[in-house]
Each structure stands twice: as structure tokens, then as C-alpha cells.
Amino acid sequence: MNLATRWWRWLVLTLVLLPWEVVKLVVARFFSRGMDTFYTKMLGSVMKEIGWSEADYAGSVYCIGYVRQWYRSRVLDIGKEAHRGDTAPNPNVISLTDRKLTKLLDFAREGRPLVINFGKFRDRADFIIVYIEEAHASDGWRFKNNYDINVHRSIDDRMKAAEELARLRPRCPVVVDTMENVANTAYGGLYERLYVVRDGMVEYEGERGPGGYKLAEVEGWLQEHC
């Protein structure tokens, strides 16, 4: 994406879409319970697969925390460096086991796809989870029945939160984004996202989650290309 296109998308986002989102927030929060309910049901249906229900989102869809994360995720999407067919960014990440700084693509092996998140096909591909900023911090856009994790204000906060994820025993390495958010910025990871990198090139670029977070697409890609 060239610089002019980035600026155009950013202007449309900031001057058109963001004000419209604020208008919807005001209407949903103060004038239309039905509108809030509609969006709660829509989000709830997306998140059912991982155990969250509409009740968990009730009253949280249109709040200041939601709008902040909505805007930030789209700014990251516009500015990300990772695009299908291009060279994959190789930002610094922090190992959860020894807290050493390393490069994300150091986890890739020649000729094998590296799925940046999680999946199957361990015999044909490698997998990694990159833990980034908290999308639903307890002191930000929070909702019910979630972990009690505040906005990360230090690398210790972020490492501690990532350790909560590691306790779930994912079957792949977990690394942690730096406090400069270099991995999140390079790949537009907020809220969540999936990529496949092979031999330094981005070969699959998922859409921004939760709606675009489609493990089945990655599985289909691996079946076709591995």
C-alpha cells in the first residue's frame, strides 16, 4: 500500500468513520437499547465458539473503551507492513521462557510455513503465538467473565499476562510483543489475526478479528499448499 493510499484511508477513518461510530455510541447508549442489543448479539454470535456469550458483552459494545480499541485496531490495519505476497516483517519479540529478545522469524524453518498464532498440521508447519496488548483490559474496554488484566504499563505487566496464556498449555511457543508494540504495528494484530509466512514471505494474510479470525481458512491453506 503506497503512502497516498494510507493517508487517504486514515483521513476517511478519522474524519468520517470515527465520528459516525461516536454517533452510534451516543444513540445506542442513551436513546436506543435495541441498537445496543443488536450489536451485542452480533458480537456474541462471533465469539460463541470460544465460550463467550451475548450476556458477557451486554452493555459493553458502545462505550469509550470500545471506540478507542475500534479506532486503534483500524489505524494499525492501515499502517501494517505485512501484506500477502510481500516480504514478512521480522520485529523483535521477547521469549516467554527466558525473557531474551529475539526475532519473530527466527522461529521459522526453511521451506516450512510458520503460522503466526495457532493451528494444526504440526508435521507440516510450525506455529507461534505472539501476545500483544490486551484488547479487553479491565481498565479499558472490558466485558464480563474475562480475565482481570489491566492495560500493560510495563514489560513485567505484559509478561505476567502472557504467562496466564501459557498456563493454557498451547502446543507451540509463546512470545511477547515489546512495549513499543513493534510486532503488533508490523502485522496489525489487534484484536487478533492470523498469518502464514514461508521463506520470509507472507503467503496468507487473515482479516482483522474477531470476524476475520478464521482458523478454517488457515487449515484450508495448509491442506492446499503443504
Side-chain angles (χ1 to χ4, degrees):
M1 187 188 303
N2 61 44
L3 186 60
T5 302
R6 289 181 193 271
W7 272 103
W8 172 249
R9 288 183 60 187
W10 181 82
L11 286 171
V12 171
L13 173 67
T14 303
L15 301 179
V16 179
L17 300 180
L18 178 60
W20 174 236
E21 205 65 28
V22 172
V23 169
K24 290 198 290 184
L25 180 153
V26 172
V27 172
R29 294 296 285 171
F30 300 107
F31 299 103
S32 175
R33 182 62 63 86
M35 183 174 173
D36 184 73
T37 301
F38 171 78
Y39 281 98
T40 297
K41 286 182 177 295
M42 183 177 68
L43 275 176
S45 65
V46 171
M47 304 301 282
K48 277 181 181 177
E49 290 187 8
I50 56 174
W52 283 319
S53 68
E54 296 166 14
D56 295 327
Y57 278 94
S60 71
V61 177
Y62 279 114
C63 61
I64 294 299
Y66 161 79
V67 174
R68 284 175 180 162
Q69 289 293 65
W70 179 93
Y71 182 71
R72 177 163 169 70
S73 69
R74 283 151 180 81
V75 169
L76 287 169
D77 189 40
I78 292 170
K80 71 181 188 293
E81 302 169 37
H83 297 280
R84 188 167 64 87
D86 290 349
T87 301
N90 194 18
N92 288 328
V93 291
I94 302 168
S95 169
L96 189 59
T97 54
D98 57 18
R99 296 201 170 197
K100 289 183 178 179
L101 204 64
T102 186
K103 290 290 188 180
L104 177 61
L105 298 187
D106 286 351
F107 293 87
R109 290 187 279 176
E110 185 177 353
R112 282 172 64 92
L114 175 68
V115 181
I116 302 177
N117 198 279
F118 184 74
K120 305 176 185 176
F121 293 85
R122 288 174 59 84
D123 58 330
R124 285 177 269 175
D126 302 305
F127 300 84
I128 191 167
I129 295 173
V130 182
Y131 184 81
I132 58 173
E133 64 186 81
E134 188 61 38
H136 297 287
S138 300
D139 53 351
W141 176 25
R142 65 176 303 161
F143 57 91
K144 301 171 187 174
N145 297 322
N146 196 17
Y147 286 91
D148 186 12
I149 298 173
N150 288 337
V151 172
H152 309 142
R153 292 177 172 82
S154 69
I155 192 60
D156 284 338
D157 290 345
R158 185 162 289 180
M159 297 295 287
K160 184 178 178 181
E163 286 167 0
E164 291 288 337
L165 170 61
R167 288 191 185 97
L168 299 175
R169 298 178 182 271
R171 292 176 294 172
C172 66
V174 176
V175 296
V176 181
D177 198 5
T178 67
M179 289 305 291
E180 293 75 30
N181 298 311
V182 290
N184 191 12
T185 300
Y187 283 86
L190 191 69
Y191 310 113
E192 58 263 329
R193 206 167 203 141
L194 291 157
Y195 285 92
V196 178
V197 173
R198 179 160 53 183
D199 294 332
M201 301 295 292
V202 177
E203 296 198 10
Y204 169 87
E205 175 190 354
E207 296 295 328
R208 184 182 56 252
Y213 182 84
K214 298 176 180 178
L215 290 169
E217 280 191 0
V218 174
E219 185 171 344
W221 187 94
L222 291 168
Q223 287 176 332
E224 182 178 353
H225 295 90
C226 294

